[in-house]
Amino acid sequence: VLIVGELINASRKAVGAAIETGNPVDIEQLAVRQSAAGADYIDVNAGMFVGREAEYLQWLVSVVQAVVDAPCCIDSPDPAAIERALHVHRGTAMINSISLEKARHDALLPLVAGSGVKVVALCMSDEGMPATAADRLTIAERLIEDLVRNNVALDDIYVDPLVQPVATRDDFGLGVLKAVDAVMTGFPGVHTICGLSNISYGLPERALLNRTFAVMAVARGLDSLIVNPLDRHLMANLTAARTLAGGDEFCEKYLDAYRAGLFDFEKNP
Amino acid sequence: VLIVGELINASRKAVGAAIETGNPVDIEQLAVRQSAAGADYIDVNAGMFVGREAEYLQWLVSVVQAVVDAPCCIDSPDPAAIERALHVHRGTAMINSISLEKARHDALLPLVAGSGVKVVALCMSDEGMPATAADRLTIAERLIEDLVRNNVALDDIYVDPLVQPVATRDDFGLGVLKAVDAVMTGFPGVHTICGLSNISYGLPERALLNRTFAVMAVARGLDSLIVNPLDRHLMANLTAARTLAGGDEFCEKYLDAYRAGLFDFEKNP
């Protein structure tokens, strides 16, 4: 399971403050800690700062890449901000995200077409948020076809079925699970990705719901997640799920994680 | 998710001792505690005691049903022992299990045919244990057809795909998940059930693997589990999974569990 570490987000108080004051220390620490905890990509988001987002996003990429080898997931709805961030990025970035919303789509497509960057394809259109699994799949199909036609490799596409709160509608979780299954079965080579925290919005014990949903999604084929890699319970569940889903010969990865002490919190639950 | 509480098993030291000395107190307590923790059926197993299994199994059913309303899951490979236990059982029992092994199958079928009891259909045949999802499905199909032909209602059939250690073969977990999906999709009305502990055999942090696998199986459609209902982490995961899998309107069941304090251990993980 590919892990995108979500913690460098301006909407988090300490991160917002670090960005505003131009103090790199907290940002560097979050990059290093997430990378050490297993993050394959470091998400950077400065969406809070209207007008200065492009400048701040570029700064975040520079600060992060000065201390870790992991590439960034550049998280913005603004093509101009993304372009500027890509300009200083080393290695293969991920862009989060393109969608079927016309303005966003048309402005972002030229940045993505034939560029070799990885792109999150968010299941959202100008008709609004998808309600059912079928709605999600319809948008996913159109996005995949569109991206492939524009010289984006299947392996560079990460479909995000758009997780919405299960407290709002009781089949929102199931809809995402079914959409993941349908995309992974119907479009071999394409990846699926999602953020988790929306699923538990408005409910108590959100970490329990988030990590349970992560495991359920992995069981249906999800191969990428935007999460907090410092959540040890979640990461332990994902390590176990990866082994249980097959392909961990002799359970070597699981045993390595055990020996590295990743499950030590289990002793005093 | 239907829960079968697995703790009254003679292979557990305290239970074996209670059975041998005819002391009902520990058995009663295990029945009451499992039922209070959410067990829908109480499994009873006296398989350790060759020669006296039938007598002990009958005693266990009497002791359990004297203190809880939940029916028993009568867990034995011996049709004579099951018959004697059924004789004293009130309500609709579950039998664990019939299989395609000829001797076991032919002896057990008359007890099950048209009787209205619920029956676990274990994916095992005289050719040995199934290795792949396809092997499991072949046996499941033959068992379902056979049981239906003998007047067992689909709703009374619980297919057990036979969980084997992922440490033995890295796709044993995936094989079970795929078989669950195929049975739930291909035979509407039939249930699926499994025990968990075999999945983690030979590995460290077994409880973590067991509860992660339970959530993965529920995500693929599994609707019944043979587990330790006193494992609070497991039960919390299952409560969350049930809500996330849809059908928990306004998350009422989840919120009830929260208010009842079932997630309290989360505070100090």
Side-chain angles (χ1 to χ4, degrees), chain B residues 228-249:
Chain B
N228 172 8
L230 305 186
D231 178 337
R232 287 166 63 86
H233 277 277
L234 168 71
M235 293 300 277
N237 274 137
L238 289 175
T239 301
R242 181 185 57 186
T243 291
L244 294 165
D248 182 11
E249 211 180 357

Side-chain angles (χ1 to χ4, degrees), chain A residues 204-205 211 219-220 254 267, chain B residues 204-205 219-220 254 266-267:
Chain A
E205 302 296 347
R211 68 175 183 265
R220 300 291 284 250
Y254 181 82
K267 299 291 182 300
Chain B
E205 303 297 346
R220 299 292 284 249
Y254 181 82
E266 287 281 306
K267 299 291 185 295

Side-chain angles (χ1 to χ4, degrees), chain B residues 32-33 36 45 52 73 92 101 106 160 171 178 184-185 205 219 230 233-234:
Chain B
V32 169
R33 288 179 66 203
N45 180 311
R52 304 194 66 175
C73 177
T92 306
E101 298 155 286
D106 291 355
D160 182 339
D171 65 352
K178 285 181 173 172
M184 297 305 276
T185 311
E205 303 297 346
L230 305 186
H233 277 277
L234 168 71

Side-chain angles (χ1 to χ4, degrees), chain A residues 14 60 74 122 163 207 253 258 269:
Chain A
L60 284 176
I74 300 170
L122 182 67
V163 171
K253 290 176 189 163
Y258 171 70

Side-chain angles (χ1 to χ4, degrees), chain B residues 27-59:
Chain B
I27 307 296
E28 288 167 355
Q29 211 170 63
L30 280 175
V32 169
R33 288 179 66 203
Q34 290 185 96
S35 179
D40 302 291
Y41 284 79
I42 308 295
D43 194 89
V44 287
N45 180 311
M48 289 276 290
F49 298 106
V50 181
R52 304 194 66 175
E53 185 190 359
E55 174 196 341
Y56 287 158
L57 205 54
Q58 190 178 46
W59 180 75

Side-chain angles (χ1 to χ4, degrees), chain A residues 32-56:
Chain A
V32 169
R33 289 178 66 203
Q34 289 185 97
S35 179
D40 302 290
Y41 284 78
I42 308 295
D43 194 271
V44 288
N45 179 311
M48 288 276 290
F49 298 105
V50 180
R52 305 195 64 176
E53 185 188 0
E55 172 194 343
Y56 286 157

Side-chain angles (χ1 to χ4, degrees), chain B residues 26-244:
Chain B
D26 285 359
I27 307 296
E28 288 167 355
Q29 211 170 63
L30 280 175
V32 169
R33 288 179 66 203
Q34 290 185 96
S35 179
D40 302 291
Y41 284 79
I42 308 295
D43 194 89
V44 287
N45 180 311
M48 289 276 290
F49 298 106
V50 181
R52 304 194 66 175
E53 185 190 359
E55 174 196 341
Y56 287 158
L57 205 54
Q58 190 178 46
W59 180 75
L60 285 175
V61 169
S62 305
V63 171
V64 167
Q65 293 213 305
V67 293
V68 297
D69 288 331
C72 290
C73 177
I74 300 170
D75 185 359
S76 168
D78 177 9
I82 291 174
E83 186 167 19
R84 189 157 161 189
L86 281 176
H87 196 68
V88 296
H89 188 276
R90 285 177 291 102
T92 306
M94 182 181 286
I95 291 177
N96 185 6
S97 58
I98 199 165
S99 76
L100 270 193
E101 298 155 286
K102 187 162 171 41
R104 183 170 177 171
H105 174 272
D106 291 355
L108 206 54
L109 189 60
L111 275 183
V112 172
S115 69
V117 299
K118 294 180 177 294
V119 62
V120 176
L122 182 68
C123 292
M124 173 101 98
S125 73
D126 285 323
E127 283 135 62
M129 300 215 192
T132 65
D135 292 346
R136 291 178 166 85
L137 196 60
T138 303
I139 301 177
E141 283 173 359
R142 286 179 58 195
L143 276 168
I144 293 168
E145 281 165 22
D146 168 66
L147 289 167
V148 167
R149 203 168 44 235
N150 284 279
N151 299 313
V152 177
L154 291 174
D155 183 46
D156 290 335
I157 301 173
Y158 292 75
V159 172
D160 182 339
L162 205 162
V163 171
Q164 292 169 76
V166 72
T168 306
R169 193 173 141 162
D170 66 5
D171 65 352
F172 270 165
L174 189 61
V176 167
L177 297 176
K178 285 181 173 172
V180 165
D181 201 329
V183 169
M184 297 305 276
T185 311
F187 299 93
V190 167
H191 305 279
T192 43
I193 192 167
C194 59
L196 293 175
S197 49
N198 279 348
I199 196 73
S200 59
Y201 187 79
L203 292 171
E205 303 297 346
R206 296 187 64 177
L208 168 67
L209 285 164
N210 294 351
R211 67 175 184 264
T212 304
F213 193 64
V215 168
M216 296 176 87
V218 168
R220 299 292 284 249
L222 189 87
D223 63 2
S224 322
L225 278 160
I226 306 171
V227 294
N228 172 8
L230 305 186
D231 178 337
R232 287 166 63 86
H233 277 277
L234 168 71
M235 293 300 277
N237 274 137
L238 289 175
T239 301
R242 181 185 57 186
T243 291
L244 294 165

